[in-house]
Amino acid sequence: MAAAAAASDAEGERQGGDPKAWKWKIRKRVWDLLEAEDIARNPRPVHHRIPNFAGAALAADSLGKLDVFQKAQCVKVNPDSPQKQVRFLTLTGGKKLLTPQPRLRTGFFSVLASQTLPSGSILEACTSVGAAKYGRPIGLDEKIKVDLIVIGSVAVDPTTGARLGKGEGFAELEYGMLRYMGAIDDNAMIVTSVHDKQLVDDIPVEKLLVHDVPVDIICTPTQIIYTNTRIPKPQGIYWEKLSPEKLGQIRILRELKRRIERETGQLLPTGPSEKLPPTARRRR
């Protein structure tokens, strides 16, 4: 845990001149708090992750009772540990589950449905490995309608709906690609499940970037919060914000960029170079 906290300290110092440095201060404060108060759950330490937390299943169960979840036929859920119960409720509720392959490095999205899974495999299918094993991979041309998006968070402001992820930007890229595909529009609700200790009041809305994704509903182990957010939802991928380093990480993004340039006959802009933030080590 100390090593991860030190890495987070170094990240904050490295980003001292970065206009996004304020985000890292909030992330580190929340990660440290969850570990210090033993709210964090495996995988630990939670630094540089969407943190798993005590009561994650309770928060997921509250989410599962939402009218917007009950009515949804296809739900996009992030692949992180605290949302595992949400993925389980999606599949056992007879809905389609759309989940990204981890960090989008090996593919794009996988679609799963309980009726196509082998008997007794739902619990395994709710893991990132199981989703890749049993899911049907889809591409950019897939015609799919997503009714609800469940997103992981490190910190979220209940009064504005402003949200911070772990800093890698994958949730924003996934959202932008779904917009490009026509799978979602502004009416698609965005829900997050977090611990009450992840609720903050110091995310400055005026400092958010155009691609930052706000949330409409927050579910914790103790409450459901409707944010009535007024933060505009991203309209797609903002290529001028996308660094060459991030583009180099994600094959599907490079394919999309080449496709758009080929169709329009124009080169898309590229964002400034960046040093990518550290990532949590994934267990095999």
Side-chain angles (χ1 to χ4, degrees):
M1 293 183 200
S8 195
D9 280 331
E11 176 61 19
E13 292 174 7
R14 181 187 70 76
Q15 302 225 13
D18 190 321
K20 297 182 290 184
W22 62 269
K23 291 184 176 181
W24 283 98
K25 292 179 181 178
I26 297 173
R27 290 181 182 114
K28 182 181 184 303
R29 186 183 78 221
V30 172
W31 284 325
D32 287 349
L33 177 65
L34 296 180
E35 288 289 356
E37 297 195 7
D38 201 30
I39 296 166
R41 292 294 181 266
N42 287 327
R44 295 177 75 173
V46 292
H47 295 76
H48 302 290
R49 301 181 191 275
I50 297 297
N52 198 9
F53 56 90
L58 286 175
D61 288 343
S62 292
L63 193 157
K65 294 173 184 175
L66 294 174
D67 189 57
V68 68
F69 180 84
Q70 293 286 323
K71 291 180 177 178
Q73 296 181 34
C74 179
V75 185
K76 186 263 187 186
V77 187
N78 57 299
D80 302 281
S81 296
Q83 283 73 46
K84 182 179 179 180
Q85 176 71 1
V86 181
R87 297 190 292 277
F88 177 78
L89 293 174
T90 300
L91 289 174
T92 56
K95 308 175 189 299
K96 284 184 181 178
L97 170 64
L98 182 70
T99 190
Q101 297 184 14
R103 294 197 172 105
L104 300 177
R105 286 178 181 154
T106 57
F108 188 30
F109 286 99
S110 297
V111 176
L112 299 96
S114 59
Q115 58 267 32
T116 64
L117 295 174
S119 177
S121 65
I122 283 186
L123 281 176
E124 183 185 4
C126 294
T127 66
S128 58
V129 173
K133 177 179 177 181
Y134 296 114
R136 176 176 65 84
I138 66 170
L140 292 165
D141 295 318
E142 183 83 12
K143 301 301 180 186
I144 189 169
K145 182 180 183 296
V146 176
D147 303 302
L148 179 67
I149 293 176
V150 178
I151 193 170
S153 302
V154 173
V156 62
D157 189 328
T159 62
T160 65
R163 165 204 171 269
L164 298 182
K166 60 182 179 288
E168 296 185 51
F170 289 102
E172 288 75 16
L173 292 171
E174 292 158 10
Y175 186 91
M177 284 187 278
L178 288 174
R179 288 294 296 242
Y180 170 82
M181 294 168 64
I184 56 172
D185 56 25
D186 280 343
N187 295 319
M189 299 285 279
I190 304 172
V191 187
T192 193
S193 59
V194 296
H195 193 274
D196 294 86
K197 294 288 187 176
Q198 292 174 256
L199 302 178
V200 302
D201 61 3
D202 58 345
I203 300 178
V205 172
E206 69 278 4
K207 289 187 177 181
L208 294 177
L209 301 176
V210 68
H211 58 262
D212 286 326
V213 178
V215 300
D216 299 293
I217 306 174
I218 304 168
C219 294
T220 80
T222 66
Q223 57 186 320
I224 296 172
I225 303 167
Y226 292 83
T227 69
N228 299 310
T229 185
R230 296 185 178 182
I231 301 170
K233 292 176 179 174
Q235 300 300 298
I237 296 173
Y238 297 89
W239 299 99
E240 70 277 9
K241 305 289 185 184
L242 190 61
S243 71
E245 290 79 11
K246 179 62 72 176
L247 190 64
Q249 272 191 337
I250 306 171
R251 177 179 55 80
I252 193 73
L253 267 182
R254 297 193 299 274
E255 290 179 7
L256 177 56
K257 186 172 187 287
R258 284 193 296 267
R259 172 186 293 196
I260 295 174
E261 289 176 338
R262 186 171 61 249
E263 291 174 350
T264 63
Q266 296 181 336
L267 293 178
L268 290 170
T270 301
S273 184
E274 66 173 330
K275 183 176 180 182
L276 297 174
T279 60
R281 181 172 296 177
R282 287 186 173 268
R283 298 178 299 174
R284 290 187 180 276

